[in-house]
Amino acid sequence: MKSYDTTIARRGAGLAEKKEKTSRRRMSRQTRENIFGYLFISPWIIGFLGLTLGPLLFSLFASFTDYNITSRMNFIGLDNFKRMFTIDDLFKTSLWNTLYYVLFSVPLTTAGAIFLSVLLNQKVRGMKFFRTLYYLPAILSGVAVYFLWMQLLSPSTGLVNTFLAWIGIEGPAWLFDPEWTKPALLLMKMWSVGGGMLLYLASLQGVSASLYEAADLDGAGVMQKFFYITLPMISPIIFFDVLTSTIGAFQIFQEAYVMTENGSGGPGNSLLFYNLHMWNNAFEVFDMGYASAMAWLLFIVVMVLTIINMKLGKKWVHYEGGDNK
Amino acid sequence: MKKGLIFIISAILLIGTLAGCSGEESVQAEKTKDGKVIVDFWSFWGSETRRPIIEKIIEDFNNSQDEVFVKHTYLPWGDIWTKNLASVAAGNPADVIINDINSVAQRAENAQSEDLSKYIDESFKNQFYPHLWETVMYGDKPYAVPFNTDTRLLFYNKDAFKEAGLDPEKPPATWAELEEYAAKLDIKDGDRYERVGFYPLWGSIGAASWMTSADGGKGFIQDGELYINTPKKQEALQWLLGWKERLGEKTVQSFEAEFGSEQSNPFIAGKVAMWVDIGTFYTQIRDYGEDMNFGVAPIPAFEKGSGNWSDGGGFVAEIPKGAKHPEEAMKFIKYLTGPEAQKYWAMKNYDNVANKEAAEAVVNELKGDDKYVYEASVKNLDQTQLFPVPVKYPDYQNRINPHIDSVLLGKTKPEKALAKAEKDVEKLKRK
């Protein structure tokens, strides 16, 4: 009996020892796997350090200098930042233009995309056709679209104004009138909300039908169902969309570069966006230090807005897990 | 087995990245197999018409050389400047590059190009038009050699002149005559214009040129002084606004909407009777105009004797700072800007070139209308000015243009707008 016990005990000890051995081996294997893991992602790490983080830190440093790429790099403290607010009038113009664009484009395109996706979520015959139709503009790429819209918005021969004339409205000069250039861009953006629409459509289809059935039993109307079920259920997607499109809107550049004469941001600097002004400073005037400072200021502005967005998001975004208290 | 595989894959990935980093430099040879020094020449002439012309010039040069071999690298317009900047900063630039004539001083100031004074003597310099040579000088030293240029002329439709009872051999010489002729050349159907006599902001000319012409040829910034808010410039701006008001915003816009394609140029289509453009515009008339009966003249003067000022641009050949073979590069530049290559370029491209001897040889060789317009353009170079970017005010145009726009949109009075523009530019001044 005793001997039996000891055998078991001994065997147990042996097992434990074996276990320890394998776990030690597993540990070392894990380290090895880690090393291989890093090796596998090393192309990315090298790229990140050399092509992203390095230049990023370099531009942070350059923003405190009068760096001109080829011959100068003197430390000038906060002079670049002072210059933005005291000397450079176009800085204010460009910041204002960009803020205007963000302020209008984000709510308009978000609301437009949600509205469209709700319409396209109805169960009607031929819906696939309409979904394709409204998504199509989103697959066309940048410059081609801008050229198309320059034609459409042509003051006297463009389709937009021709159409407006049919219904008795004399259309504005769009891209030629400083008051109408930004609305013209917004119109163009509204036309291509298809990408966002697709995102919302997917999330709308994920909203459980049982919620609507319950609401029906309680006698809820269409609007009530939309505001109390649909919107809260897709709010995480709205949040994501608002966040990314705000950041994207701050980066607006190509539109102004392509759609204005000589990429100047005209007429009357009405399309001189922040990034266009920055680009001019960097590559037309070789004021790379100043341009770097502008880039970092924009980064700070966008970061602050994103943090505010995140904080506000907690108040209105509904997560089904219920752990966002 | 597995371990070995993983190791090999990682190794391949790593080596791949490293190889990707080093890339071109190691491949780039300095010499050809037969021992000639390779000169890397960057241009943006990649079009069907221009590429063969520049490559023929390069080939001719290469055939005449025992020591130098020029390799042409085509970079698209827009890419070429940023790429040049990056390669100068990296210390590995091209040996010769074609660059914009109006920013030579700016690049010299920023140490992006080499000082060429040790390769250039008086007789070499004297080959070129003086107004072009001025632009390549920075602090008494040449930093580039002018290659080509352009100038603006008044093209007018002789048949339209006859129709309107004007003498087709007597183009307008002053602004007053220009207005008088234009009114006679207009054809209106009710409110709609079928033909516009003239509009000063169409073609290849802008408000700044008219303002300069009114001011006795004085630009916005001359010798470091600002001449933006001058009475004559205000007057010119008011005059430009007058044209717009006469035609009406709608007419101006509907005509402008059609300017897109070359085939339907409104002057060639007979919709505009007088038109300011560069000399090369003639090739469009020749190719699409179906024997159009036209004339060319200098741009009318503000008033009698105030000068038929015109302005121009162009390109230069320069050696980027830090180029490996400046001496060999200069050999090629000398050929490129010499009479033989310049004449070939001018004949084939119908372009104004910087070399005086070449330009005159072209005038002698051309015939008919080809000769008539080219000769006029060469003559016009005497009254053509260039407005290089001032080193102390590099971004001045972006400050002035919005104010000019605002006047032409009828939103601000010229005096007020130009006063504001001058103040804005003053603020910009670099030390």
Side-chain angles (χ1 to χ4, degrees):
Chain A
M1 225 18 202
K2 204 181 175 188
S3 70
Y4 179 70
D5 269 5
T6 40
T7 342
I8 288 186
R10 209 177 287 146
R11 201 183 284 166
L15 252 172
E17 200 181 308
K18 207 175 188 183
K19 222 182 210 167
E20 206 175 88
K21 240 185 201 166
T22 42
S23 90
R24 205 184 296 139
R25 200 179 297 152
R26 211 175 273 156
M27 269 293 282
S28 67
R29 187 168 168 189
Q30 204 164 4
T31 336
R32 235 192 7 254
E33 273 179 3
N34 279 344
I35 291 171
F36 278 121
Y38 283 119
L39 269 177
F40 272 117
I41 59 168
S42 64
W44 180 84
I45 289 181
I46 292 167
F48 173 72
L49 292 178
L51 300 174
T52 307
L53 191 67
L56 214 68
L57 293 176
F58 180 77
S59 86
L60 180 62
F61 176 68
S63 69
F64 300 105
T65 68
D66 62 353
Y67 182 50
N68 71 345
I69 309 171
T70 41
S71 68
R72 271 199 322 254
M73 196 166 193
N74 307 310
F75 191 77
I76 54 167
L78 290 172
D79 278 8
N80 282 332
F81 294 92
K82 273 186 218 149
R83 181 169 145 204
M84 283 177 218
F85 294 99
T86 53
I87 299 172
D88 188 2
D89 299 322
L90 293 185
F91 169 78
K92 271 167 255 169
T93 313
S94 69
L95 189 61
W96 160 245
N97 284 340
T98 311
L99 283 175
Y100 178 111
Y101 177 75
V102 173
L103 225 58
F104 283 94
S105 80
V106 174
L108 279 175
T109 50
T110 309
I114 295 175
F115 179 69
L116 203 61
S117 63
V118 169
L119 287 186
L120 293 174
N121 197 32
Q122 306 305 314
K123 291 186 177 54
V124 183
R125 271 178 64 129
M127 191 47 87
K128 275 187 186 156
F129 172 73
F130 287 109
R131 284 179 188 165
T132 314
L133 201 67
Y134 281 98
Y135 182 68
L136 268 181
I139 63 167
L140 296 173
S141 70
V143 177
V145 171
Y146 309 150
F147 271 92
L148 175 74
W149 275 88
M150 283 163 79
Q151 301 262 316
L152 291 177
L153 292 172
S154 157
S156 48
T157 51
L159 266 184
V160 174
N161 278 0
T162 311
F163 177 75
L164 286 175
W166 282 345
I167 53 173
I169 300 170
E170 195 188 332
W174 297 112
L175 293 168
F176 295 91
D177 184 343
E179 315 248 318
W180 281 96
T181 46
K182 284 186 282 279
L185 279 199
L186 292 172
L187 187 69
M188 182 177 87
K189 286 289 146 183
M190 287 299 290
W191 175 74
S192 51
V193 293
M197 178 273 289
L198 203 68
L199 213 63
Y200 289 116
L201 196 57
S203 70
L204 280 175
Q205 299 195 333
V207 180
S208 160
S210 61
L211 291 173
Y212 293 110
E213 276 164 25
D216 279 336
L217 289 177
D218 287 342
V222 177
M223 294 310 265
Q224 277 170 316
K225 276 194 276 185
F226 178 73
F227 283 107
Y228 292 108
I229 299 174
T230 314
L231 272 188
M233 291 306 283
I234 63 168
S235 61
I237 301 294
I238 300 178
F239 180 60
F240 167 76
D241 188 31
V242 168
L243 212 63
T244 51
S245 58
T246 305
I247 295 171
F250 268 106
Q251 295 171 346
I252 181 168
F253 169 78
Q254 290 176 11
E255 288 82 347
Y257 189 64
V258 174
M259 296 171 81
T260 62
E261 209 182 333
N262 299 327
S264 63
N269 279 342
S270 59
L271 289 183
L272 185 79
F273 291 115
Y274 196 91
N275 279 351
L276 186 58
H277 186 42
M278 187 165 83
W279 190 88
N280 276 336
N281 273 307
F283 296 109
E284 298 282 307
V285 199
F286 312 127
D287 239 332
M288 197 51 101
Y290 184 62
S292 301
M294 280 186 72
W296 279 91
L297 192 86
L298 182 67
F299 171 72
I300 292 167
V301 169
V302 173
M303 195 170 71
V304 168
L305 282 176
T306 307
I307 290 172
I308 294 174
N309 247 334
M310 300 277 261
K311 291 260 188 260
L312 288 178
K314 285 193 179 142
K315 294 208 185 332
W316 60 269
V317 178
H318 170 83
Y319 290 105
E320 266 186 289
D323 53 351
N324 61 328
K325 272 160 199 166
Chain B
M1 199 40 209
K2 230 182 192 173
K3 227 196 300 180
L5 193 69
I6 289 174
F7 193 79
I8 288 169
I9 291 174
S10 330
I12 290 173
L13 281 175
L14 249 180
I15 291 166
T17 339
L18 294 178
C21 291
S22 64
E24 251 171 284
E25 209 167 337
S26 53
V27 180
Q28 216 170 61
E30 308 249 310
K31 284 190 173 178
T32 56
K33 275 179 206 149
D34 49 357
K36 291 180 189 170
V37 173
I38 295 178
V39 165
D40 192 14
F41 169 57
W42 287 10
S43 87
F44 46 83
W45 293 315
S47 70
E48 259 172 75
T49 36
R50 294 215 158 148
R51 192 165 194 153
I53 298 170
I54 188 65
E55 286 186 348
K56 168 81 169 59
I57 291 175
I58 294 169
E59 197 191 316
D60 287 350
F61 174 77
N62 283 341
N63 289 339
S64 75
Q65 284 295 317
D66 307 324
E67 289 152 20
V68 185
F69 179 84
V70 174
K71 190 186 93 191
H72 182 212
T73 306
Y74 158 70
L75 290 161
W77 175 259
D79 259 11
I80 187 166
W81 320 129
T82 39
K83 221 163 187 168
N84 180 42
L85 200 58
S87 65
V88 169
N92 188 27
D95 295 301
V96 181
I97 186 170
I98 298 295
N99 217 324
D100 171 35
I101 197 167
N102 278 322
S103 46
V104 174
Q106 211 186 348
R107 281 189 300 277
E109 145 103 2
N110 289 324
Q112 295 172 12
S113 50
E114 292 280 355
D115 169 11
L116 306 179
S117 37
K118 66 175 160 185
Y119 309 108
I120 285 169
D121 55 21
E122 200 67 11
S123 75
F124 179 75
K125 173 194 142 175
N126 287 337
Q127 292 184 83
F128 304 97
Y129 288 99
H131 73 290
L132 300 179
W133 193 260
E134 263 170 48
T135 64
V136 305
M137 298 295 287
Y138 172 68
D140 294 334
K141 284 177 181 146
Y143 279 82
V145 180
F147 180 79
N148 64 349
T149 184
D150 57 18
T151 181
R152 276 130 192 91
L153 295 157
L154 181 78
F155 289 81
Y156 63 97
N157 186 329
K158 284 190 175 173
D159 289 338
F161 266 53
K162 274 182 222 155
E163 238 176 76
L166 294 164
D167 180 357
E169 301 312 320
K170 227 184 126 255
T174 61
W175 287 18
E177 275 179 26
L178 193 60
E179 280 178 275
E180 183 197 323
Y181 283 37
K184 283 185 187 160
L185 289 160
D186 283 343
I187 299 179
K188 276 177 96 169
D189 176 23
D191 263 352
R192 225 172 52 83
Y193 278 85
E194 280 182 358
R195 186 172 71 204
V196 172
F198 182 68
Y199 185 68
L201 296 175
W202 288 343
S204 174
I205 189 168
S209 307
W210 294 107
M211 291 161 80
T212 301
S213 178
D215 218 354
K218 204 178 269 166
F220 288 128
I221 301 174
Q222 206 119 324
D223 305 320
E225 298 289 317
L226 301 187
Y227 299 96
I228 298 167
N229 188 22
T230 67
K232 291 285 189 219
K233 290 208 172 75
Q234 292 169 5
E235 199 181 328
L237 205 45
Q238 189 62 46
W239 182 76
L240 290 171
L241 184 63
W243 283 93
K244 195 163 194 181
E245 280 165 354
R246 190 174 71 87
L247 289 182
E249 185 82 46
K250 280 208 101 141
T251 311
V252 173
Q253 278 170 4
S254 62
F255 272 75
E256 273 170 14
E258 291 170 44
F259 288 178
S261 74
E262 290 193 345
Q263 281 88 337
S264 67
N265 176 283
F267 175 74
I268 297 172
K271 286 183 174 171
V272 180
M274 296 184 282
W275 181 265
V276 175
D277 218 316
I278 55 173
T280 315
F281 174 64
Y282 158 71
T283 57
Q284 279 184 51
I285 303 179
R286 182 187 63 197
D287 298 342
Y288 304 112
E290 291 160 2
D291 295 321
M292 180 178 189
N293 193 8
F294 72 97
V296 281
I299 297 173
F302 172 67
E303 53 195 17
K304 226 171 179 173
S306 74
N308 303 79
W309 298 103
S310 175
D311 51 29
F315 295 96
V316 294
E318 63 186 30
I319 302 180
K321 188 93 186 168
K324 304 244 161 48
H325 313 290
E327 225 148 282
E328 289 81 1
M330 199 59 207
K331 257 190 193 168
F332 176 58
I333 291 181
K334 283 190 172 168
Y335 180 77
L336 194 64
T337 57
E340 192 187 333
Q342 290 262 295
K343 188 183 157 203
Y344 183 75
W345 176 272
M347 289 292 285
K348 288 280 172 179
N349 271 324
Y350 203 82
D351 200 5
N352 281 109
V353 285
N355 189 302
K356 288 187 281 187
E357 188 192 327
E360 268 139 40
V362 172
V363 172
N364 289 332
E365 204 163 308
L366 290 172
K367 286 189 180 66
D369 277 353
D370 287 1
K371 183 193 173 90
Y372 165 63
V373 178
Y374 198 87
E375 194 169 14
S377 75
V378 169
K379 235 172 107 188
N380 211 48
L381 290 178
D382 288 344
Q383 306 170 79
T384 304
Q385 299 190 93
L386 266 65
F387 293 98
V389 180
V391 171
K392 290 203 187 308
Y393 302 96
D395 204 16
Y396 78 100
Q397 272 167 329
N398 278 345
R399 317 284 154 152
I400 299 177
N401 289 340
H403 296 295
I404 293 178
D405 286 351
S406 158
V407 171
L408 294 177
L409 287 163
K411 289 182 179 164
T412 324
K413 289 257 169 282
E415 309 85 65
K416 227 176 131 189
L418 290 180
K420 184 85 190 17
E422 186 153 320
K423 241 175 84 193
D424 284 1
V425 173
E426 253 166 38
K427 270 198 197 173
L428 209 68
K429 186 170 180 174
R430 306 263 167 116
K431 279 145 223 153

